[in-house]
Amino acid sequence: MRRFLNLDNKSKRILKNFLIFFGLIFGMAAILVIFSLAAGNSWKIGLAVEVQSVLDSYPDGQYTVGKNLELKSALSTSSAVYSLIKKDERKNEKYYGIIVRIPSVLGPLPAVFIYNDSKGVSFAGYAVDNGKAEETVDIRIANSIMSYWEEMIPKIIEKAEAN
């Protein structure tokens, strides 16, 4: 220990530069973490707005987007789940709005689905330009892709309800 305290000036300068460099790296990493955590909340709010805009044009009923349900799985990178409130619903049924990034020839597209335990899964629409490009998108999406996601929606809801 005594030898460490008695460093020559060159070694002290190298140690000081080393500590400054790694201090800057640590500070920059901390700033990135803080900004990414802050951006996560605004991302969830933006997705809720997109889901609501699709549901506003959905003909089957009037839904209002509620709170975001956290997904503790790998599915959270390509989907988000929100509780829905159906207007004029007298029964105490749970509705969910799911926005999912699905692959297509045009690139990944955000599709919105509605899920209810008794009614199952129904496709609400695409969150693309507020529906202006929906006809073009519909032609390009394979039925097998939509079927896959319709089968996955109950599994996604189970992951969200378990939390």
Side-chain angles (χ1 to χ4, degrees):
M1 184 74 169
R2 184 174 244 171
R3 184 174 172 195
F4 180 72
L5 295 175
N6 294 330
L7 296 174
D8 61 344
N9 286 337
K10 183 179 179 183
S11 298
K12 286 181 184 180
R13 200 173 11 168
I14 291 171
L15 183 60
K16 182 179 176 183
N17 289 340
F18 179 78
L19 290 174
I20 289 172
F21 175 74
F22 281 104
L24 288 172
I25 296 292
F26 179 77
M28 290 170 56
I31 289 170
L32 285 174
V33 167
I34 290 169
F35 281 126
S36 66
L37 290 175
N41 194 28
S42 66
W43 179 258
K44 291 174 189 174
I45 292 169
L47 284 177
V49 169
E50 290 296 323
V51 170
Q52 186 64 55
S53 70
V54 170
L55 294 177
D56 286 342
S57 62
Y58 187 64
D60 189 31
Q62 297 297 320
Y63 296 95
T64 304
V65 175
K67 68 176 186 165
N68 178 32
L69 303 174
E70 290 294 323
L71 289 172
K72 301 279 187 198
S73 73
L75 295 170
S76 65
T77 60
S78 63
S79 61
V81 179
Y82 295 92
S83 63
L84 296 179
I85 302 164
K86 187 173 183 179
K87 296 176 184 173
D88 300 330
E89 179 71 30
R90 301 201 191 286
K91 299 175 189 175
N92 194 12
E93 292 189 30
K94 292 182 180 179
Y95 291 90
Y96 301 96
I98 303 96
I99 186 165
V100 178
R101 182 177 46 203
I102 59 172
S104 74
V105 176
L106 303 172
L109 297 168
V112 177
F113 295 90
I114 298 172
Y115 178 76
N116 177 279
D117 287 331
S118 62
K119 296 178 183 174
V121 178
S122 61
F123 176 69
Y126 298 103
V128 179
D129 295 329
N130 294 328
K132 294 176 184 171
E134 190 166 336
E135 290 177 18
T136 306
V137 170
D138 255 346
I139 295 168
R140 304 281 189 236
I141 301 292
N143 288 335
S144 60
I145 293 173
M146 294 304 281
S147 298
Y148 169 80
W149 282 107
E150 287 174 357
E151 291 176 14
M152 286 297 294
I153 297 296
K155 295 174 185 175
I156 293 172
I157 296 298
E158 286 176 15
K159 300 266 185 202
E161 284 185 331
N163 298 326

